[in-house]
Amino acid sequence: QVQLVESGGGLVQDGGSVTLSCAASGRPLGNFVVGWFRQAPGKGREFVAGINRSGGSRYAGDSVKGRFTISRDNANAVGLHMNGLKPEDTAVYYCAASINNVVFTTAVSYNYWGQGTQVTVSS
């Protein structure tokens, strides 16, 4: 079991930046593939970014490629660095951990989830 807690969300202006953090307890986050997902009101959960166990492979969803970066900050934390934010990035952002060996972009592939943190981008 691993417990995940997201932090760092809030209100940011169009074009601004914010960094989210996912902190783990129970087991080291380095034992898992980690993904960030987001869900806007009335929409499904969307893959944002993912990172493999070693941190050597990173992936970003098409809508955030070139603007968002995922990183392993330490053995128990993964960050999501978001630049060039747009109003359409407004959503609840979730951290998720997977026991798989590769990064999947589907939510069903992840075993553990945080409660989410709200990011609101004002125009």
Side-chain angles (χ1 to χ4, degrees):
Q1 280 280 54
V2 61
Q3 293 76 42
L4 304 175
V5 177
E6 304 93 339
S7 62
L11 179 64
V12 61
Q13 289 189 334
D14 191 356
S17 300
V18 69
T19 294
L20 305 182
S21 182
C22 174
S25 60
R27 291 177 62 187
L29 203 51
N31 290 353
F32 302 88
V33 162
V34 177
W36 283 96
F37 289 77
R38 67 185 182 186
Q39 189 163 16
K43 296 189 176 181
R45 200 159 288 193
E46 175 190 12
F47 174 79
V48 174
I51 192 165
N52 70 347
R53 297 185 185 194
S54 69
S57 295
R58 310 178 190 193
Y59 304 86
D62 289 340
S63 61
V64 305
K65 203 164 290 183
R67 299 188 297 124
F68 292 11
T69 304
I70 189 171
S71 64
R72 285 198 179 271
D73 299 332
N74 58 53
N76 289 312
V78 169
L80 181 68
H81 311 279
M82 305 189 291
N83 298 311
L85 283 161
K86 307 174 183 179
E88 51 263 44
D89 294 318
T90 295
V92 177
Y93 283 73
Y94 297 91
C95 172
S98 171
I99 61 174
N100 291 303
N101 291 322
V102 297
V103 177
F104 288 99
T105 61
T106 52
V108 294
S109 301
Y110 291 78
N111 309 94
Y112 304 99
W113 291 83
Q115 294 300 306
T117 185
Q118 176 72 45
V119 174
T120 302
V121 184
S122 63
S123 57

